[in-house]
Amino acid sequence: MSRIAALMAAEAASLAVMSSLHLAGRLNGTKPFDPNRAGIAEAIIGVVLAAGAVALLRGRRRAWSIAVAANIFAVVGFAVGLSRTIQGGGAVDIGYHLTVLPLLLLTLLILVRERRAAPAAG
């Protein structure tokens, strides 16, 4: 599970970078895209993913459930973000979403397969 936690931590770190860029006004778009809202959403998703990674690393009782919930939250958040970004975000924003969304889905798939391989783990 530590590899999955590392992947989740890397995803969270990328969200921290993008959030910082949006909130600092370095990445802008056209209406209806709002870089401040994007930055806040990315920060929240990043914190949730980081919490899921920490749960996995600590081996908490419900670590797997927390990690899955964090990834589902991130996937939904990215899907909403992509729909907004396509309407007025820049190429960097769109490219970021199109790159990280499949990575989040892959992380979720790995978690599900890991659980099937070790049903007694938790």
Side-chain angles (χ1 to χ4, degrees):
M1 290 281 188
S2 64
R3 289 181 186 172
I4 300 168
L7 181 56
M8 290 174 65
E11 294 160 350
S14 76
L15 281 157
V17 170
M18 291 301 285
S19 175
S20 298
L21 291 171
H22 280 120
L23 293 174
R26 300 288 184 212
L27 293 176
N28 294 309
T30 60
K31 293 194 184 224
F33 181 78
D34 182 347
N36 288 325
R37 289 180 121 181
I40 292 167
E42 289 160 347
I44 292 168
I45 295 167
V47 167
V48 170
L49 276 174
V54 168
L56 283 178
L57 288 174
R58 289 188 176 173
R60 297 178 66 180
R61 185 169 179 245
R62 300 187 193 279
W64 182 84
S65 298
I66 293 168
V68 168
N71 273 275
I72 291 171
F73 179 81
V75 166
V76 170
F78 258 74
V80 170
L82 180 58
S83 71
R84 303 275 164 94
T85 301
I86 287 174
Q87 296 176 29
V92 171
D93 291 311
I94 294 169
Y96 176 71
H97 280 80
L98 291 175
T99 301
V100 178
L101 182 55
L103 187 58
L104 290 168
L105 290 167
L106 177 64
T107 305
L108 186 57
L109 178 65
I110 293 168
L111 277 166
V112 170
R113 286 188 174 190
E114 190 83 16
R115 182 62 166 196
R116 285 186 186 155

